[in-house]
Amino acid sequence: MSVSTTIITSVLAVIGTLIVAFFVSLWLPGIERKFVHARIQQRVGPPLSSPGFMAPIKFFFKETIIPNSPMPRLYNALPLIGLLSIFLILLFTIPQMYFLGALTTVIAIVGLLKIEEVIYMFMGVLSRSVLSMGMPFPDVVKGAKHPNAKRSFLEELSSLRAFRLIAFGSFPIYITLFIPVAMAKSLYLSEIVAYQQINGPILFTIAGILGTIVFFMGSMILLNEYPFAILKTKADVIEGPLMEYAAKSRAYIYITRGFLIFVLASLYVTLFLGIPPNILDPFFLVTVGTAIIFPILMAILSAFSPIFTFKQFYPVVAGTSIIGILGIIAAFI
Amino acid sequence: MILPVGPIHPGLKEPLRLKLKTQGEKVLSAEIDYGYVHRGIERIMEGKTWQKAIYLSERVCGICSYIHTQTFAETFEKIAGEQAPLRAQYLRVLTNELDRIQSHFIANSTYFKALEHETLFMYMLSLREPIMDAIELLTGNRVNMGWNVVGGVRMDAKETHLQQIKEIILKLESGYDKYVEMFEQGPLVGLRSHDVGKMSREQAIKARAVGPIGRASGISYDFREDHPTYRDHLDFNVIWRKEGDNFARTMNRFDEVPESIKLIKQVIDNIPSGDVRKKIDIPAGYGEWSNEAPRGEVRYMIESNGNLIRKASIRTPSIMNIDACAKYMLKDVATVADAVATYASVDPCIACAERVVIIDESGQERNFDGIHNIQLE
């Protein structure tokens, strides 16, 4: 095969993978809601294409409004930044991109996942919803610096929660990402994949099984799925930091969620089964299959649990993190 | 900071402002502001005949509208010193219990929505739907039934309809335990409900909590025990618990449903034949009557000149329960999410509550526009 053919094939593989991943991800929220949530709750549920596919299209054609925010442009750009960071994660896990070196390490992926998390905090800080603007209250907490200043907003609470989530909520998934690192003794995705092609998938080891459990829980926390959806609980903070998003920004949020489900499944398959996403490889179907199974399992778990408050959140995160650490120890043994 | 929740908020069924004084995520105390849906129904009733006012009374509450018309009618019957025919009394019990079941389902569904347990929320609403159909079958309407008149009920029920209602009830009964078990045994939903929003028996008495809220805190009293139809012809148990937390309040409502089912079966099996209404001449006078609404005691105090209503006061259960919630349950709650769930567990009805709110402890009588003072004992 000539060099030019290789280049063309690689470019096609990268673009093709991204496009197929994107297209599959648009159907995942529909599968989750129609076939699991609605079935469990004994109702018909939305059309399959509605939550992930048609809703973003609809929102793209809505009138763009400038939200109440101290920095409206940054606020509107945040969903796009989140989408971009997830997009990059998938890009860097495609084998044809492994020449990028440090960008295709687990550390880079952790960094990009962190960006996705941090944007929620900024969203909370920058959001001034109409609801909150209409009912500011004087800050009367003892020791307040400006006791008569009116500065209580619902979004403050969601920002505070986002901060707490960044501080500890994502521990499990980060810990579990380092189980393959410990086994392959390398941070590079290429070497983790190569290790598994020689020694078999990490999933079929004790460390891999523990890692899978923790990865699943960690993904749920990262996705803000029930019961870990305290960030955007509708009963007290009303969607939290996402409330003010409309039109295109809202479409990006919907797309981001579906895409994040796919990317996390793909990351799992890469790290624990040694199958990186590549449209030219028939094993890509494993990634697609996992991307469908993941939300179904999540939806089943979330259908039977209420949203946790931090009182329940802390022990779950602590317990899951401990399992993750055990997984790392098992990886070394 | 002070976290305002409401007056318009998805966590609230109806408009009111909940001011949560928070420190971080912890709720130190709460204040409640009313007044957003005050309609002055008592004031509008003045100068009207009972035939017109009974429709107003039905609109006091949007969920337990039925019991208001029954209490209204029974207050007039008391002024006249008469009782509705026995068949009408049985039909009233039947409608009241169906209404109680649907109200308890919607109350629990709201609590599950506040916990964001969407599956149980959906299950509760799907259980409620056949009950609404049964109400429609009996009265012709689902919410505002127009069923009661002074002296009985508006029309008779067909035997086929009664049997259809019985089938609906038996079907509900057969699958009911599954849903209760999901809540009672579910470890995750238990974590969010046990020991949250506690109110002791003493506090419940102080706050004058009524209905399932008071009973969940250990006040074992149900106004149905004193109602002549229930007392003389029917058999049921008063459901009460000791814990006084969100779990107890929700379970209390869950456990009251089988009692209502028991009552409905007794009514359908033993309903006597005869008239369903009789003509009652209403003299001038003053009457009071209490009934057990789904949320607790509802009391009507009406003064009539024999034709027109001179003065009317309505005491609804929500006002005491919401007050109890603000004073005792929302103190030192661990999180804002729990505070919202606690508020929902009280099954507040704001449209009900916005009427008699002023307790004049000095004993002076003061009349506000459309709001009447009541000296509570």
Side-chain angles (χ1 to χ4, degrees), chain A residues 188-245:
Chain A
Y188 288 93
L189 291 175
S190 55
E191 289 180 25
I192 292 171
V193 171
Y195 170 85
Q196 294 183 79
Q197 278 164 2
I198 297 163
N199 298 310
I202 291 173
L203 172 63
F204 304 125
T205 61
I206 293 173
I209 292 165
L210 292 176
T212 304
I213 297 166
V214 181
F215 193 95
F216 181 71
M217 295 297 279
S219 313
M220 284 191 80
I221 297 172
L222 206 67
L223 283 163
N224 284 313
E225 268 276 0
Y226 282 33
F228 306 110
I230 191 163
L231 196 62
K232 45 187 186 185
T233 160
K234 292 174 193 74
D236 58 349
V237 293
I238 325 164
E239 272 215 274
L242 306 177
M243 186 176 162
E244 280 295 274
Y245 284 114

Side-chain angles (χ1 to χ4, degrees), chain B residues 50 54-55 58 66 69-71 73-74 77 83-96 138-140 145-158 162 229 267 271-272 274-280:
Chain B
W50 73 258
I54 198 163
Y55 289 106
E58 190 149 46
Y66 169 76
T69 54
Q70 186 184 328
T71 318
E74 283 174 343
E77 284 160 17
Q83 269 196 329
L86 195 57
R87 186 172 171 86
Q89 288 183 37
Y90 268 65
L91 287 172
R92 279 177 177 176
V93 170
L94 175 60
T95 325
N96 189 14
L138 185 68
T139 68
M145 300 162 211
W147 177 236
N148 276 299
V149 288
V150 174
V153 294
R154 191 169 294 280
M155 55 194 172
D156 203 353
K158 283 182 185 169
L162 292 177
T229 320
V267 166
I271 190 164
D275 288 339
V276 290
R277 75 187 277 191
K278 68 176 179 189
K279 194 168 178 343
I280 290 178

Side-chain angles (χ1 to χ4, degrees), chain A:
Chain A
M1 212 171 358
S2 68
V3 176
S4 60
T5 320
T6 315
I7 292 172
I8 290 168
T9 320
S10 301
V11 169
L12 279 178
V14 172
I15 294 172
T17 307
L18 291 174
I19 289 172
V20 171
F22 184 72
F23 189 75
V24 171
S25 73
L26 293 178
W27 297 90
L28 296 178
I31 292 171
E32 189 183 15
R33 287 198 28 206
K34 172 97 183 164
F35 293 127
V36 189
H37 277 151
R39 194 156 286 189
I40 289 172
Q41 292 165 357
Q42 301 169 358
R43 60 189 166 89
V44 180
L48 188 61
S49 62
S50 183
F53 194 72
M54 298 309 283
I57 292 174
K58 180 185 78 179
F59 279 117
F60 266 116
F61 293 101
K62 293 273 177 189
E63 186 191 353
T64 310
I65 55 156
I66 299 166
N68 287 320
S69 169
M71 298 166 84
R73 281 190 185 167
L74 176 62
Y75 182 70
N76 260 348
L78 285 170
L80 205 54
I81 295 170
L83 182 60
L84 197 67
S85 71
I86 298 160
F87 185 79
L88 288 176
I89 295 173
L90 187 67
L91 188 71
F92 294 150
T93 48
I94 298 173
Q96 282 80 359
M97 302 303 286
Y98 286 166
F99 69 90
L100 287 172
L103 288 175
T104 62
T105 58
V106 171
I107 300 286
I109 286 167
V110 168
L112 289 167
L113 282 175
K114 209 76 198 167
I115 291 175
E116 202 276 327
E117 273 188 286
V118 169
I119 59 165
Y120 287 109
M121 197 183 79
F122 283 111
M123 282 176 187
V125 170
L126 294 175
S127 173
R128 294 279 180 275
S129 66
V130 178
L131 190 75
S132 290
M133 291 290 282
M135 52 176 182
F137 268 86
D139 192 350
V140 293
V141 169
K142 198 178 170 189
K145 208 170 181 185
H146 305 289
N148 292 318
K150 291 185 174 181
R151 57 175 201 87
S152 294
F153 292 96
L154 278 174
E155 286 78 9
E156 281 182 34
L157 196 68
S158 57
S159 186
L160 194 83
R161 286 179 184 173
F163 186 71
R164 279 204 207 176
L165 275 177
I166 295 164
F168 77 92
S170 42
F171 268 150
I173 198 156
Y174 296 143
I175 289 170
T176 195
L177 289 182
F178 284 91
I179 291 176
V181 172
M183 290 197 75
K185 302 206 169 33
S186 171
L187 285 168
Y188 288 93
L189 291 175
S190 55
E191 289 180 25
I192 292 171
V193 171
Y195 170 85
Q196 294 183 79
Q197 278 164 2
I198 297 163
N199 298 310
I202 291 173
L203 172 63
F204 304 125
T205 61
I206 293 173
I209 292 165
L210 292 176
T212 304
I213 297 166
V214 181
F215 193 95
F216 181 71
M217 295 297 279
S219 313
M220 284 191 80
I221 297 172
L222 206 67
L223 283 163
N224 284 313
E225 268 276 0
Y226 282 33
F228 306 110
I230 191 163
L231 196 62
K232 45 187 186 185
T233 160
K234 292 174 193 74
D236 58 349
V237 293
I238 325 164
E239 272 215 274
L242 306 177
M243 186 176 162
E244 280 295 274
Y245 284 114
K248 287 191 183 73
S249 308
R250 170 79 38 184
Y252 290 135
I253 284 170
Y254 284 1
I255 293 170
T256 306
R257 196 178 174 281
F259 205 48
L260 185 57
I261 296 174
F262 187 92
V263 169
L264 286 170
S266 159
L267 193 62
Y268 172 76
V269 174
T270 311
L271 292 174
F272 287 86
L273 289 169
I275 305 167
N278 181 3
I279 187 76
L280 301 177
D281 180 359
F283 280 106
F284 186 63
L285 287 174
V286 177
T287 309
V288 175
T290 315
I292 294 170
I293 293 167
F294 251 50
I296 289 175
L297 291 177
M298 284 179 197
I300 292 168
L301 182 65
S302 58
F304 292 103
S305 53
I307 285 192
F308 283 169
T309 64
F310 281 107
K311 202 168 89 184
Q312 291 92 37
F313 219 124
Y314 288 129
V316 172
V317 170
T320 324
S321 302
I322 289 168
I323 298 172
I325 290 165
L326 288 176
I328 291 185
I329 293 168
F332 277 117
I333 293 170

Side-chain angles (χ1 to χ4, degrees), chain B residues 306-347:
Chain B
N307 180 27
L308 304 174
I309 293 172
R310 286 180 62 187
K311 215 170 180 184
S313 271
I314 307 165
R315 185 184 191 239
T316 57
S318 285
I319 188 78
M320 284 80 79
N321 291 340
I322 296 170
D323 211 35
C325 172
K327 264 187 188 158
Y328 299 111
M329 297 176 205
L330 293 180
K331 241 185 185 142
D332 294 328
V333 182
T335 64
V336 174
D338 279 343
V340 174
T342 303
Y343 172 76
S345 79
V346 175
D347 189 12

